[in-house]
Amino acid sequence: MRETRERILTAACEVIADIGSEKIRMRMVAERAGVSTALLHYHFDTREKLFTEAMTHSFATTAVDVERDAGTAPAAVVLARILRNLLPTDPQLHQDWRLWQELWVRALRDETTRTFAVDLYAQTHTWVADAIRRGIASEEFTPTDVDALSTLVLSLSDGYGIRLMLRDPTVTLDTALTSIWRQVSKALGLPDSMPTD
């Protein structure tokens, strides 16, 4: 049952990213997931519920992958992974960004979606802040205003992410990551070069 639900959510993310949340039909998701429409409705009785669950699924999947060894990897490595995952750095994250853009548009017109979007941003803020706090606690990072730095990271990621999604020729992924890391490294007393896995 859980596997079916996961398959439906993965399919929903793909369809929403492909055609947008306004055009999506439950039948399309059912076909992509390889399930009957009745089974899809058993798990998700409305399009709105499917959309919010798909967004939550997308966020959770990314976070689990990035945090896989957060207890043993250097804090700077984990934080660098998070920063890379806040930008459209690969096809999966490109799809996630398309979902976020759908969320933003819906949130401007619908109060329930706006509340959900604000909550999802709070979760993302906590994800970044917790990584910074772990680094401070382990004395790998210089103490700083964690909330302010987390907000700055998310703001820079959103700004650069939008321009990358628009394929703005003046912004590359490397320049975006370098610019964001420059602010992070300055605040946390880290080397200028962003660590790799």
Side-chain angles (χ1 to χ4, degrees), residues 44-176:
F44 305 98
D45 53 356
T46 66
R47 227 171 38 145
E48 289 68 30
K49 184 173 181 182
L50 179 61
F51 178 78
T52 56
E53 290 280 338
M55 287 297 305
T56 302
H57 172 75
S58 172
F59 173 77
T61 302
T62 299
V64 166
D65 180 55
V66 170
E67 296 278 346
R68 64 188 176 273
D69 59 355
T72 57
V77 168
V78 175
L79 184 56
R81 273 188 212 148
I82 290 173
L83 297 183
R84 286 187 188 93
N85 277 269
L86 290 174
L87 293 171
T89 54
D90 64 30
Q92 181 59 51
L93 291 167
H94 192 271
Q95 175 182 290
D96 291 348
W97 258 86
R98 292 175 81 175
L99 293 174
W100 274 100
Q101 291 172 318
E102 289 292 324
L103 179 66
W104 293 336
V105 170
R106 284 179 63 127
L108 293 174
R109 299 187 186 105
D110 177 71
E111 182 60 23
T112 302
T113 306
R114 187 197 67 77
T115 301
F116 171 71
V118 169
D119 181 61
L120 206 52
Y121 258 109
Q123 291 178 51
T124 308
H125 185 276
T126 298
W127 185 37
V128 174
D130 285 350
I132 295 169
R133 286 190 184 97
R134 281 196 305 265
I136 292 171
S138 66
E139 299 184 346
E140 294 174 66
F141 298 166
T142 301
T144 192
D145 184 332
V146 175
D147 287 329
L149 181 58
S150 300
T151 298
L152 177 63
V153 164
L154 292 180
S155 299
L156 290 170
S157 298
D158 282 349
Y160 280 115
I162 289 168
R163 293 178 73 184
L164 289 167
M165 290 296 289
L166 293 173
R167 296 189 300 275
D168 182 335
T170 65
V171 177
T172 67
L173 181 57
D174 286 342
T175 58

Side-chain angles (χ1 to χ4, degrees), residues 8 11 25-38 40:
I8 291 169
R25 298 292 174 263
M26 299 293 260
R27 172 186 47 78
M28 297 172 182
V29 175
E31 287 173 3
R32 181 79 61 104
V35 301
S36 68
T37 306
L40 175 62

